[in-house]
Amino acid sequence: MTDPGNGRLAGLVALVVGGGQTPGETIGNGRATCRRFAQEGASVVVVDRIVERAEATVEALATAGHAAVAVAGDVTSSADCESMVAAATETFGRLDILVNNVGIGGGDGGPVSLDEAVWDRIHQVNLKGMYLTCKHALPVMRAQGSGAIVNISSLAAVASTNMLAYKTSKAGVNALTQSVANGNAKHGIRANAIMPGLMDTPMAVDALADALGVDRSEVADRRDEQVPLGGRQGTAWDVANAALFLASDEASFITGVILPVDGGQAARIG
Ligand SMILES: NC(=O)c1ccc[n+]([C@@H]2O[C@H](COP(=O)([O-])OP(=O)(O)OC[C@H]3O[C@@H](n4cnc5c(N)ncnc54)[C@H](O)[C@@H]3O)[C@@H](O)[C@H]2O)c1
């Protein structure tokens, strides 16, 4: 990303939760979003459960001359969510944008094989985490009379998959987004979700290749074949650009939308 931005988020403060990334060859959705937002003029608070991951994102932003801070935080902790919002207001004076990027799916399966503890963990991280960040961010946005929330869901919410806990948690994210949009429109706050399809990120490709003990290219090829548009997966930049649009004033009349970013996979579902 060497292009200079166009100031689409100039003067705004963004909190990107899950803004580090799983290590791997490509870039993750959260880190790409932080970079894209910073490039467009936002000051960015980068939160991750593993703070070194957030720090690596901030380092990349700082090298390019952007204002950003790293904050350690686990979305399953209400106290951590309160602290991450406070970090935004204390460091940059306000909070305009919240991106909820955290999502996990490890150990998932069908209802018979799925371990109860795994169901609980996936729902806590993927769904309860978004409720908790909204719980603490919304009062600040309401006091400002403005704000934009972008939740990272998944096409799995509406597509066929045997990942029961992941699917139901992401379907919950879609419902949460609509509920937050409905309840906060009167405060000037918008809430939208993105459903990424198959993206070539480390979490999706490298982690699966490691688990299966195969080369990443094998996993990538299998995913590419399933995508109508161009026969290739998307990248984290596709998610980041959609998040940028939804967070910016260009989307000022858009709220409660669940946007697939999937190279046409949702169109197959109808
Ligand atoms: N890559 C895909 O194909 C794809 C498809 C659909 C949806 N998604 C969604 O995209 C989002 C993430 O993508 P990514 O590539 O940035 O993933 P990633 O794993 O690279 O980044 C997510 C970050 O969240 C952090 N994290 C995990 N649990 C946390 C917690 N409890 N509290 C705070 N931080 C935590 C991780 O440490 C990681 O750095 C997820 O919501 C995922 O479900 C991805």
Side-chain angles (χ1 to χ4, degrees):
M1 295 302 294
T2 52
D3 293 348
N6 294 305
R8 291 161 71 188
L9 303 181
L12 301 183
V13 177
L15 176 61
V16 180
V17 189
Q21 77 168 73
T22 303
E25 267 180 37
T26 55
I27 189 164
N29 297 328
R31 183 164 293 165
T33 299
C34 291
R35 287 182 59 178
R36 203 65 193 89
F37 279 24
Q39 190 184 35
E40 292 293 334
S43 301
V44 186
V45 178
V46 186
V47 178
D48 210 283
R49 186 176 60 86
I50 302 170
V51 73
E52 293 77 15
R53 294 181 173 184
E55 285 166 351
T57 301
V58 166
E59 226 176 274
L61 300 191
T63 305
H66 303 304
V69 289
V71 174
D74 187 324
V75 290
T76 63
S77 155
S78 185
D80 283 8
C81 292
E82 190 174 11
S83 301
M84 57 185 85
V85 169
T89 54
E90 283 163 16
T91 311
F92 296 118
R94 49 189 296 117
L95 176 60
D96 302 290
I97 301 164
L98 167 66
V99 177
N100 281 312
N101 176 65
V102 173
I104 60 168
D108 205 356
V112 177
S113 63
L114 179 58
D115 191 83
E116 200 179 329
V118 175
W119 164 279
D120 287 345
R121 178 76 190 147
I122 290 175
H123 273 262
Q124 275 212 334
V125 172
N126 293 6
L127 184 53
K128 186 182 176 192
M130 291 200 193
Y131 141 63
L132 287 176
T133 57
C134 289
K135 179 182 179 63
H136 294 291
L138 281 168
V140 175
M141 292 178 168
R142 284 180 181 182
Q144 291 172 179
S146 66
I149 297 174
V150 181
N151 294 329
I152 305 304
S153 177
S154 169
L155 193 66
V158 296
S160 165
T161 166
N162 64 353
M163 295 172 68
L164 182 71
Y166 187 74
K167 180 182 177 69
T168 52
S169 67
K170 292 296 191 177
V173 167
N174 291 357
L176 176 143
T177 303
Q178 289 166 333
S179 179
V180 169
N182 277 328
N184 291 278
K186 60 180 175 290
H187 298 287
I189 300 165
R190 301 182 295 104
N192 295 290
I194 293 171
M195 293 193 295
L198 296 170
M199 318 309 289
D200 190 355
T201 68
M203 187 190 65
V205 178
D206 304 54
L208 183 59
D210 282 351
L212 297 174
V214 300
D215 195 75
R216 89 176 304 280
S217 63
E218 205 176 301
V219 173
D221 288 349
R222 250 184 270 156
R223 289 166 66 89
D224 285 346
E225 284 164 12
Q226 299 172 56
V227 182
L229 191 66
R232 60 154 189 85
Q233 298 174 84
T235 72
W237 300 115
D238 296 312
V239 173
N241 283 325
L244 169 61
F245 168 67
L246 291 172
S248 76
D249 276 352
E250 292 155 31
S252 62
F253 200 53
I254 300 177
T255 194
V257 158
I258 313 292
L259 178 68
V261 175
D262 67 346
Q265 278 199 288
R268 281 183 172 161
I269 301 165

